[in-house]
Every structure is written in C-alpha cells, then in structure tokens.
Amino acid sequence: MAMNTMVAEGPRSPEAKLGLRVEDLWDVMEPQLSPTEKLNACFESIPVSAFPMAPSNKELEIKSDATLAEAVKVLARHNILSAPVVNVHAPEDASWLDRYIGIIEFAGIAVWILHQSEPTTPTSPSTPNTPTSASAIAAKANGLTFALELENLGLGSAATTSGNFFEDLISSEPYKNTKVCDISGTFRWAPFLALERSNSFLTMLLLLSKYKMKSVPVVDLGADRIDNIITQSAVIHMLAECAGLQWFESWGTKSLSEVGLPLVTPDQIIKVYEDEPVLQAFKLMRKKRIGGVPVMDRDQGKAVGNISLRDVQFLLTAPEIYHDYRSITVKDFVTAVRSYLEKNKDANPMSSELVTCKIHCTIKDLIKLLDDEKIHRVYVVDDDGNLQGLITLRDIISRLVHEPRGYFGDFFDGVLPLPLDCRV
C-alpha cells in the first residue's frame, strides 16, 4: 500500500525517483533469481551518473597549495567533511588523473597535526622497556607519555590540557604553514579512486562497503573534472527515501540478525572512559584505525556517549567552547560539543548523542534512524543497556549487495597506489 501511495503521489525526492527506477528493473527480473541477485542486477544496470548531486558538491575544490588553515575554513564554511584537492601545477588540458591529487578530510587535517607530536626516534627494539630519559620514566609512571609527545610541539602538557591548548593548536606553525599537498599519503588521506559517469551503482556500492572508501568521486570524462562525490551517508539517505517500494521492503523489513548484523561484536568494540584525556581518545582512534568509540561510565560499565573522528573538527573550528576548561577529559569534550551543537543546529545538523538500537530492529528502521540523526554508527544494546555490537553505514551497504566472482577484473590497474598507512 505504501508503495502505491508513493507512485500515485509522484516521487518525494530525486532519491525516491531513483528508487522507482530500481523498482521498474526489479519487476522485470527473472523470477528464479534470489532477492539479493535481483538487487545486484538492478544496481548493475543503473549508471552512477543517475545519483543525485548534493548541492555542497558543486565545483567545491581545495587547491593543493592551500594551507591546512585555509582548507579548514573552506570545509567549515560549506559544512562538509571532505573535498577533492586540485593540483595547481597541472596544465589546463590535464586529464582528471593529473588534475586531482586526492580527497582531503576534515579529520585528516586535525589528526595529522596531532600526529606530529609522535616521538621521532622510537625505542630500540633490543631494549623495548628501557625509557630514554629520567623525564620519560616519570611520565610513564604517571601515564603521561602522550603528554611528553605533545610537548614536542611546544603546545603544553596534554595531562592538564586546558581550553587554551586548542587555541595554541590552531596558532601552531604546522597548522598555519603546512600545505594540503604536503600531507598527501598520510593518515586518513583517502586514495583518489574515481568512477566514470558510466560506471554502475553496483561498483560504487562495493567501493563504499567492501573496499572501505568513505566517498567516491564521479568524473565527467568530457570535462575531465569531478562531477559528483557520493558518500556513504548519501547512499543511506537514498535508501531511506525508498521506503515503501517493493524491492526495498523485501530487504529492509528483515531484522538485523537476519542479514548478519552487527558485524562488530561486544568484545571487538574499542572503548574510552569519561575520565580519560580527550586527546588520548583521538590517539586511540588513530592507532586502531577506527572512526569512533563509545564513551563509558567507569563505575557502571555502561556507554553514556560517543566520540568520533568527525568531532575532531571542533578542535579547529570552535576552540572557544573549551576556553574555560582547566583540563579536558572525554566527558568535558562530549559535553562541550553537545552544547555547541544545540546552539548551532542550523549550521551543524549532526548529532553527538549516543544512538542505540536493539537486535530485533529492522534494517528499515535502522536506516531511518541513521538518516534522521545524521550519524555514521549505531550501537546495539540489550534490554539492560549493555553493548552488544556496533553497526556502521558501511556495514549496512555491505548487506545490500555482494561482489560477483571476478567482478572488478582489471578495474584497479593503473590506479595510484595506496599509502601503506592509508585509512579510507
């Protein structure tokens, strides 16, 4: 009934119109195909050029010689988390592969700056437990090793990081003078793997799920320019707009357990505690190469908040919200960000709350939750609020389609090699 209503009233959005296109293909598929095989075939038949373009994607590029500070201003002004970087030295008639050098992420800039505090001379493998100095011994004894690392930047002690720390951070030389091109290949610099407009939806969905890309640029070969950037969030929004259509309902009404979610089990969830320094939490996310962590109450052992690498943008764009803090723990950070977002809802639609669901939740309800809250992860909890798992946007997309044997063939040939420490 819901499907007929949507068709009768006309599509509610470009994404819903796209869903109707999938519906038309679904209706003529061979009856012997399984629902998953039907979806694969439908998405293989639709080019990525059909995906609606987000207004913020139009011709927004960052020049390779822009400083990190300038790049942050551009991203913040347009309220986006990443943008393509155009090579200022490329000739006018350059191909798209020479014109662009990658995608820069908001989180990548902030985490790169913090990463510069890492020791330049690692401890000798032959004496792994031997501190290199008396101050190092004292620091380790007090759990302040990270404090020493940050002091290498001349930004003060991380153990008693005050609100001024973040103001010092955006005044530091690495932030003001380093160019965007200088951090190519470093942590969270996404590989530049683009699709042509004629490539299929299936290819795009697989890149965003199995191949762990957070966003996929679409290139107009005629103009040798990026035509669109499709993100995991945009795909989830498209799916949310397709509720009521037959193909979506056949998949979306299944429970999480029926489709094999959550993929991350309770013992695999990396956690932080409220009383830990917030910089330690960001360091943990970088070390473990994850996008977010639940914030735990140490006494009750329950999750009370969430902190993600997306939140790292507030270190650079809103240091004033921490100005009065004498020290900044994870709890302080989450509280400050939550308050800031409440006051700036129009400019920052994202949520900082811990969002949960139960294992009997349907895929459809989970997609609506993720889309409504503008978040990238949901924690699965039991009736007592204990963590039972974690589900990300990528996990959901990975359950929508599967990669046929030999599907990509030589697709990756000639693609720029990924940096060894790349996190996409």
Side-chain angles (χ1 to χ4, degrees):
M1 300 296 287
M3 177 190 68
N4 292 335
T5 299
M6 175 182 284
V7 174
E9 295 177 352
R12 299 168 296 181
S13 65
E15 289 83 4
K17 184 176 180 180
L18 186 55
L20 289 173
R21 187 168 175 176
V22 177
E23 186 90 319
D24 290 341
L25 292 168
W26 176 275
D27 289 339
V28 298
M29 288 292 168
E30 297 294 332
Q32 70 269 23
L33 295 178
S34 68
T36 300
E37 290 172 332
K38 278 189 175 184
L39 276 181
N40 258 38
C42 289
F43 287 125
E44 173 64 8
S45 301
I46 299 176
V48 293
S49 58
F51 199 95
M53 181 180 296
S56 59
N57 285 347
K58 293 183 177 180
E59 299 183 359
L60 180 58
E61 301 173 341
I62 293 178
K63 294 182 178 180
S64 59
D65 62 351
T67 65
L68 299 186
E70 291 168 341
V72 164
K73 288 180 181 178
V74 171
L75 295 173
R77 185 166 62 249
H78 293 274
N79 195 29
I80 58 174
L81 298 177
S82 63
V85 179
V86 61
N87 184 0
V88 295
H89 301 298
E92 286 293 325
D93 59 349
S95 68
W96 67 266
L97 195 55
D98 292 323
R99 183 184 301 277
Y100 300 97
I101 64 174
I103 301 290
I104 185 65
E105 295 183 333
F106 220 137
I109 296 173
V111 176
W112 180 85
I113 294 172
L114 295 178
H115 181 51
Q116 302 315 297
S117 63
E118 293 291 331
T120 55
T121 305
T123 303
S124 169
S126 61
T127 56
N129 297 317
T130 304
T132 58
S133 68
S135 60
I137 294 174
K140 287 179 181 296
N142 290 284
L144 306 182
T145 302
F146 192 47
L148 287 181
E149 295 173 0
L150 287 168
E151 285 175 351
N152 291 340
L153 267 183
L155 297 177
S157 170
T160 57
T161 300
S162 68
N164 291 330
F165 172 86
F166 298 105
E167 294 180 1
D168 292 340
L169 183 65
I170 62 175
S171 298
S172 66
E173 291 305 311
Y175 183 68
K176 293 191 299 181
N177 296 333
T178 302
K179 297 185 185 304
V180 169
C181 59
D182 295 334
I183 70 171
S184 174
T186 58
F187 179 73
R188 288 189 67 81
W189 175 279
F192 189 62
L193 176 59
L195 293 179
E196 298 176 16
R197 289 170 54 84
S198 59
N199 286 128
S200 74
F201 251 60
L202 179 59
T203 300
M204 176 266 291
L205 293 172
L206 290 171
L207 290 177
L208 289 175
S209 56
K210 180 177 179 179
Y211 290 92
K212 300 182 179 181
M213 293 183 67
K214 300 181 80 66
S215 60
V216 179
V218 180
V219 174
D220 180 349
L221 290 182
D224 269 321
R225 303 189 71 89
I226 292 177
D227 185 55
N228 196 6
I229 296 180
I230 303 174
T231 65
Q232 293 173 347
S233 296
V235 170
I236 293 298
H237 177 63
M238 181 204 78
L239 293 174
E241 291 292 297
C242 294
L245 293 173
Q246 180 184 352
W247 69 266
F248 179 86
E249 296 295 322
S250 70
W251 173 71
T253 52
K254 295 180 180 179
S255 68
L256 300 181
S257 57
E258 285 183 284
V259 297
L261 294 176
L263 298 179
V264 179
T265 58
D267 59 314
Q268 295 173 321
I269 298 177
I270 308 298
K271 311 175 183 71
V272 297
Y273 290 92
E274 285 186 303
D275 55 0
E276 293 184 273
V278 68
L279 296 181
Q280 189 70 27
F282 284 123
K283 181 187 178 187
L284 179 64
M285 284 185 272
R286 179 180 61 78
K287 180 180 179 181
K288 298 294 184 179
R289 298 193 174 195
I290 52 179
V293 289
V295 178
M296 309 295 293
D297 180 293
R298 194 178 291 276
D299 295 328
Q300 298 183 3
K302 299 293 178 72
V304 294
N306 177 74
I307 187 171
S308 73
L309 277 177
R310 288 202 307 169
D311 298 329
V312 89
Q313 65 180 285
F314 297 109
L315 303 185
L316 303 178
T317 60
E320 70 277 2
I321 67 178
Y322 314 101
H323 187 77
D324 295 329
Y325 284 96
R326 296 186 62 185
S327 63
I328 304 179
T329 62
V330 169
K331 182 178 181 179
D332 295 331
F333 180 84
V334 171
T335 300
V337 168
R338 187 174 295 157
S339 175
Y340 178 80
L341 290 175
E342 282 294 321
K343 296 176 182 177
N344 297 272
K345 282 186 176 180
D346 292 339
N348 294 280
M350 60 184 280
S351 170
S352 66
E353 299 296 326
L354 176 80
V355 180
T356 64
C357 69
K358 302 290 181 63
I359 191 65
H360 51 71
C361 175
T362 65
I363 286 287
K364 178 180 178 178
D365 289 339
L366 180 59
I367 287 174
K368 185 178 187 307
L369 181 63
L370 286 162
D371 188 48
D372 288 346
E373 296 293 335
K374 308 301 179 190
I375 54 176
H376 291 181
R377 59 189 51 231
V378 166
Y379 295 97
V380 182
V381 297
D382 62 18
D383 292 335
D384 295 322
N386 298 306
L387 291 179
Q388 296 297 299
L390 165 67
I391 301 175
T392 65
L393 304 183
R394 178 182 299 135
D395 296 336
I396 295 174
I397 298 172
S398 73
R399 288 303 183 255
L400 179 65
V401 294
H402 67 276
E403 181 181 354
R405 181 182 296 274
Y407 176 77
F408 277 100
D410 59 358
F411 178 83
F412 295 105
D413 290 352
V415 173
L416 296 178
L418 305 188
L420 293 178
D421 61 350
C422 179
R423 169 60 161 32
V424 298

